[in-house]
Amino acid sequence: MHPTIYCSVTALVLIVTTVVQADALSEIARTIEGKTHRASSGLFDPESNQDAYHIGPGETVTLTTLPGPGEIRHMWFTLAGRDRRYPRALVLRMYWDGAETPSVETPIGDFFAAGNGMRANVTSLPIQVTSYGRALNCYWRMPFRQTARIALTNEGAYPLTVYWQFDWIGLPRVPDDMLYFHARYRQEFPAQPFAPYVIFDGRGEGHYVGTVFSIQCSYGSWFGESDDRFYIDGETEPSIVGTGCEDFFNDAWNLRLFSNANTGVTIKEANGEDCRFTAYRWHTQAPVIFRQALKVDIERRSFAEVTNPKTQQRELHDFKYRPDFCSSVAFWYQETIAEPFDRFPSYAERVNPEIFLETSDLASEIKIAPGVTAASRSNRVCNLKRALYVDNSRIGGWFEVPCRVDRQGQYSISVFQCLYRTGGIWKVTLQGPAGPILLDRALDFYDPYLAWAENRPENMLYGTWFEKKVGIHALTPGDYVFRFECVGSNPLARASDSDQPGRDCRLDGISLRRFPWDDLYGQMQRYLVQEEKLFGDRIDQARQLVTALDGAVRRFREDTGQYPSDLGELLARPPRFSSAKGKWPYAAEIPTDPWSQHYRYQCPGRFNPEGFDVYSVHGNSRDPSQWIGNWPDPFHFQGALEAEQLEIKSMSDQVTVSKQELTIPSTPPLSGGQLLFVRLRQEGDSISLALPRSVTPGRYSLRVRLVTSRDYGIVRLSFNGTPLGEPVDGYASAIDARFIMLGPVEGKGEAGTLTLQAVGRNPRSTGYRAGIDAVVLTPIR
């Protein structure tokens, strides 16, 4: 496990019965009703030190049943066992007021903000963990009326030793508006494609106060582009939307280890395949209030990198659904005992299959080079407080740890180092049926954390526990040997009681976790095929409904003489049409689009200025070029003359033109997807464009859509030699487009001429250039 340092936070927590955080120091300066109690694993027995519970494999033990009314103020646990993944093996359940449904049901490690069966230190307001993740403290307030029952279930294969203390207050009464504390675990191994990962989905009245979220990555690259969403009281579109996974946990630009009062990242390995991550966010400062229901989910789309087995080249895919292994604990308070919203998975489903070599137990089986010794010795930070001590004084000294693999597959291999001031640098190789696999050329066992004040004096005596991952490797069944060979020493390492270089090794264990995917590249190719079909079907579905809604709006107007003010008027006769002879309903229903967003309606339209727009934003409200609406695709204005297609009648010397394709932020995008870019060089330069002879004689309202940019000038527009309107400043700090209304013009039998002339320049502009998207002539009747 990566050792971490956190800033010290000294805080007392008061969460009142409405779970509004307040200053705990103010409470202790007033009279407090009730009587203080502690339930614990210890007994008042001065001649005994037997203060632990021992929970066997498959055994459930009720630790205590507390009489109410009361409130739990603090819980403490410390645990030990042979099973390295005991934080996932041991399940905490808490029952309020005789309920058969547990309000708290979660692996104990995840409850204390460390997922994937790992351990971590945490320094937050409601959860505080120290001692390399072994001293677990909880300060969530947990009131109850009648009873509180707390139970632990050991779902692992080995016994667990549990020490525990619960500090609680017996109360004369609890408020009528008391809310019950809840914490529930769920997982998707792997997360399902084309859908978000659901963290919480509950019914009732209360408020949401926290999330612990864990990932074990499948694909390489960055996993954290996923936005969080909160759907309150039955919303079909969330009223709370985030901007990314790292943003939800209040970090930015990737994630790194930190722990503070309200947010933190307790586990974060390097981005890539099998990257493990856990973060927490407490909403005690701003709880999410719900009256009827709440759904909390997070996208599972981001970058995804895979290796092509034929070329060995890495291929990066952008914003794809990732089949990562996701797990979470939702924390909330509710007026009633909540029902479970998902099946609680078994221990075998919660962890990867794993081969763990307890090297301290294998001391007698380990082969060693002459002059090297290997023995099992006491070490407080290692599992079961023992480690393999290898004493070595020379480069080239070696030792070998045997291993047996029975199942073929990809294995993520970790060396659990016990770092110490005498540790050397060791080359690690795995030798097996297919030949040697180099795991690490120079694995340093020196302890660089000696200066960390929080580890003193412990690391001076016992060393620091550190998990070093050495890659994912394909293994076939057979016998293997991990060979460690000393190749040097850290410049700071010194042998015990000597000025000679330190070349020892202290080893806590070796892990071979079965990686869940054997063929990531093939999985990605199958996913891409599925994505193309699914997304194509979604687009077709959206187009069909847009066409149906467009027809309904047109029928509405034919019957009533007016456009509807919103799509809802298609479903029921609005008061303003109480006497109209319309044919309601004009639409049987208006569902959300395939991206779970509402269809949009605007009248007069921006795409169809003479009518109305009805459209789906295609899951991306900021990219109009992707929207699916009742306009031509690719988009062009109805009746528009595309400027890039007009004949150039004349232009000044040195003026040049070209067609450009640009994406602009305004709605709609460029008509026809292009503009005519005109390089006017100086004041007085001009260009004249001939309108096609097909324009019918008559009176027209003339509009020109001009593009704006930081190097555009001020232009005057003329039609058939007559200036129209005021000069137009084309400067803007970013590329955009806007319509210029030039008023009525007379279309004659011959083609008209539109002229642009540079007449000045905004002081902030860097040039005189101009851009023309389209010319629109609307007949005046």
Side-chain angles (χ1 to χ4, degrees):
M1 217 61 55
H2 295 287
T4 55
I5 293 180
Y6 304 101
C7 296
S8 175
V9 175
T10 302
L12 292 172
V13 179
L14 170 61
I15 302 176
V16 296
T17 54
T18 55
V19 202
V20 176
Q21 188 171 310
D23 181 4
L25 295 177
S26 65
E27 183 189 38
I28 61 175
R30 303 191 305 269
T31 300
I32 302 174
E33 290 187 320
K35 182 178 180 181
T36 302
H37 301 273
R38 173 179 292 169
S40 78
S41 56
L43 296 172
F44 181 64
D45 188 345
E47 301 303 322
S48 170
N49 193 34
Q50 304 300 312
D51 293 331
Y53 278 28
H54 301 282
I55 305 178
E59 185 179 2
T60 296
V61 173
T62 295
L63 304 183
T64 188
T65 300
L66 308 177
E71 183 175 82
I72 298 172
R73 296 290 187 99
H74 168 239
M75 299 194 305
W76 167 86
F77 298 91
T78 190
L79 314 166
R82 186 177 181 83
D83 188 345
R84 295 274 180 156
R85 304 301 170 193
Y86 71 74
R88 272 271 162 95
L90 189 63
V91 180
L92 172 66
R93 291 184 174 91
M94 304 180 73
Y95 304 80
W96 310 128
D97 295 346
E100 295 183 1
T101 298
S103 290
V104 174
E105 186 175 36
T106 168
I108 200 164
D110 296 83
F111 182 89
F112 286 94
N116 295 309
M118 301 170 74
R119 301 186 336 220
N121 288 350
V122 183
T123 305
S124 76
L125 286 173
I127 298 293
Q128 296 176 19
V129 182
T130 57
S131 184
Y132 309 101
R134 299 176 300 185
L136 310 172
N137 290 275
C138 168
Y139 294 94
W140 289 110
R141 291 282 181 91
M142 304 179 188
F144 53 94
R145 289 187 171 87
Q146 301 169 16
T147 59
R149 182 166 69 90
I150 304 170
L152 292 176
T153 300
N154 177 9
E155 296 186 4
Y158 300 99
L160 283 173
T161 298
V162 183
Y163 296 82
W164 56 271
Q165 298 178 14
F166 306 142
D167 295 310
W168 64 287
I169 295 179
L171 300 173
R173 60 190 173 279
V174 293
D176 293 337
D177 60 354
M178 183 204 87
L179 302 181
Y180 292 103
F181 174 79
H182 292 76
R184 295 266 179 80
Y185 172 89
R186 77 173 301 272
Q187 67 179 40
E188 285 184 12
F189 284 10
Q192 297 304 302
F194 313 114
Y197 172 76
V198 177
I199 296 172
F200 174 73
D201 190 2
R203 303 291 180 269
E205 181 174 0
H207 38 250
Y208 189 84
V209 295
T211 302
V212 170
F213 183 53
S214 299
I215 287 176
Q216 179 187 339
C217 289
S218 295
Y219 291 138
S221 192
W222 171 236
F223 60 85
E225 290 303 312
S226 305
D227 298 345
D228 58 287
R229 289 90 61 97
F230 289 74
Y231 300 79
I232 301 173
D233 294 339
E235 292 173 334
T236 55
E237 284 194 15
S239 56
I240 299 176
V241 179
T243 56
C245 183
E246 79 272 41
D247 308 330
F248 177 55
F249 296 106
N250 295 170
D251 205 2
W253 308 105
N254 206 332
L255 289 156
R256 68 280 303 152
L257 292 171
F258 73 96
S259 184
N260 63 31
N262 298 300
T263 58
V265 176
T266 60
I267 296 167
K268 175 62 176 69
E269 296 176 329
N271 293 337
E273 297 166 5
D274 196 48
C275 163
R276 291 172 295 180
F277 152 81
T278 297
Y280 65 86
R281 177 172 178 176
W282 312 131
H283 299 268
T284 53
Q285 304 289 351
V288 180
I289 301 167
F290 56 96
R291 304 299 181 194
Q292 301 169 359
L294 178 68
K295 182 178 179 180
V296 183
D297 66 32
I298 188 167
E299 293 179 299
R300 289 307 313 133
R301 298 179 74 182
S302 195
F303 296 96
E305 187 179 60
V306 293
T307 299
N308 186 322
K310 293 183 179 180
T311 65
Q312 295 303 308
Q313 297 295 311
R314 302 290 284 180
E315 296 179 3
L316 183 63
H317 300 270
D318 186 8
F319 213 54
K320 302 300 180 185
Y321 285 94
R322 295 174 53 102
D324 297 326
F325 281 31
C326 298
S327 54
S328 58
V329 180
F331 298 77
W332 77 101
Y333 284 82
Q334 186 168 323
E335 188 176 25
T336 58
I337 306 299
E339 292 300 318
F341 57 86
D342 207 1
R343 181 185 69 86
F344 190 77
S346 67
Y347 180 42
E349 295 173 292
R350 300 194 299 264
V351 296
N352 300 128
E354 186 172 21
I355 303 168
F356 214 104
L357 306 178
E358 295 289 354
T359 49
S360 62
D361 291 349
L362 298 173
S364 61
E365 303 176 39
I366 290 174
K367 293 182 180 180
I368 54 176
V372 176
T373 63
S376 174
R377 298 179 190 169
S378 172
N379 188 297
R380 188 176 296 171
V381 301
C382 294
N383 197 49
L384 298 177
K385 298 190 289 186
R386 299 198 68 81
L388 177 71
Y389 280 50
V390 177
D391 295 330
N392 170 62
S393 61
R394 65 180 180 87
I395 294 176
W398 56 265
F399 67 96
E400 294 179 341
V401 181
C403 175
R404 174 72 188 179
V405 174
D406 293 323
R407 179 183 175 188
Q408 181 169 328
Q410 301 279 339
Y411 286 85
S412 181
I413 301 176
S414 293
V415 175
F416 284 76
Q417 300 173 265
C418 181
L419 306 180
Y420 192 60
R421 57 186 173 84
T422 66
I425 298 175
W426 295 74
K427 177 182 176 181
V428 185
T429 306
L430 179 60
Q431 300 175 347
I437 301 172
L438 178 63
L439 301 180
D440 199 300
R441 295 182 183 277
L443 191 56
D444 194 347
F445 281 77
Y446 173 74
D447 187 357
Y449 310 111
L450 287 168
W452 289 11
E454 75 171 48
N455 287 335
R456 287 186 176 181
E458 193 160 341
N459 68 349
M460 303 293 284
L461 300 174
Y462 300 104
T464 302
W465 187 39
F466 192 90
E467 178 180 354
K468 172 63 176 179
K469 296 172 74 173
V470 290
I472 301 173
H473 302 277
L475 304 181
T476 58
D479 293 320
Y480 289 81
V481 170
F482 286 90
R483 181 181 174 89
F484 291 75
E485 182 179 355
C486 183
V487 294
S489 62
N490 189 295
L492 300 178
R494 290 292 178 270
S496 298
D497 302 321
S498 171
D499 289 333
Q500 296 300 311
R503 299 189 178 112
D504 295 341
C505 179
R506 297 186 177 186
L507 190 59
D508 183 34
I510 301 173
S511 162
L512 299 87
R513 278 185 304 108
R514 179 73 165 79
F515 188 63
W517 303 103
D518 291 326
D519 181 18
L520 279 176
Y521 186 79
Q523 196 272 350
M524 171 58 77
Q525 303 315 302
R526 292 187 293 274
Y527 161 81
L528 292 174
V529 172
Q530 186 181 5
E531 179 192 71
E532 182 178 12
K533 182 181 185 306
L534 177 63
F535 286 6
D537 291 345
R538 287 182 177 179
I539 291 172
D540 289 344
Q541 179 184 343
R543 284 176 176 158
Q544 291 172 13
L545 192 54
V546 163
T547 299
L549 291 173
D550 176 84
V553 172
R554 294 182 188 277
R555 292 193 302 274
F556 184 103
R557 186 171 187 270
E558 290 172 2
D559 291 346
T560 65
Q562 300 180 41
Y563 285 113
S565 59
D566 58 61
L567 292 177
E569 291 190 352
L570 299 175
L571 300 175
R573 184 193 304 267
R576 65 192 179 105
F577 292 113
S578 58
S579 60
K581 298 181 179 180
K583 300 174 182 177
W584 280 277
Y586 287 87
E589 61 175 342
I590 304 176
T592 55
D593 70 10
W595 297 271
S596 300
Q597 295 179 293
H598 294 296
Y599 285 93
R600 314 296 174 92
Y601 171 79
Q602 192 168 354
C603 184
R606 301 177 70 177
F607 292 83
N608 297 301
E610 309 306 320
F612 64 94
D613 299 340
V614 58
Y615 55 99
S616 160
V617 298
H618 194 175
N620 188 345
S621 60
R622 295 186 180 180
D623 187 1
S625 66
Q626 300 297 313
W627 296 354
I628 301 166
N630 61 337
W631 51 77
D633 183 20
F635 168 75
H636 61 82
F637 285 107
Q638 184 177 0
L641 304 173
E642 302 297 345
E644 65 274 9
Q645 298 177 6
L646 296 179
E647 177 188 350
I648 300 173
K649 192 169 185 179
S650 65
M651 59 184 177
S652 301
D653 294 341
Q654 298 184 349
V655 172
T656 59
V657 297
S658 62
K659 297 179 182 180
Q660 283 189 350
E661 295 184 1
L662 289 176
T663 299
I664 60 174
S666 59
T667 306
L670 292 178
S671 183
Q674 292 182 323
L675 64 90
L676 182 69
F677 177 56
V678 184
R679 296 178 180 85
L680 303 171
R681 307 285 183 176
Q682 59 188 1
E683 192 170 326
D685 281 354
S686 65
I687 183 172
S688 295
L689 304 173
L691 273 59
R693 294 180 180 273
S694 58
V695 174
T696 305
R699 285 178 59 78
Y700 292 89
S701 174
L702 175 62
R703 291 179 296 158
V704 178
R705 196 176 194 223
L706 295 181
V707 179
T708 59
S709 187
R710 63 176 181 270
D711 57 356
Y712 284 17
I714 300 173
V715 297
R716 178 179 291 280
L717 291 94
S718 303
F719 186 75
N720 289 339
T722 302
L724 300 175
E726 298 296 323
V728 179
D729 188 351
Y731 169 79
S733 59
I735 296 174
D736 209 335
R738 58 191 174 107
F739 267 113
I740 307 300
M741 307 298 295
L742 297 176
V745 297
E746 193 73 30
K748 308 251 177 159
E750 297 182 357
T753 301
L754 178 68
T755 301
L756 275 77
Q757 182 178 32
V759 296
R761 187 179 71 182
N762 188 302
R764 292 171 290 178
S765 178
T766 60
Y768 290 89
R769 299 172 180 179
I772 315 171
D773 177 26
V775 178
V776 181
L777 291 170
T778 304
I780 298 176
R781 298 173 182 172

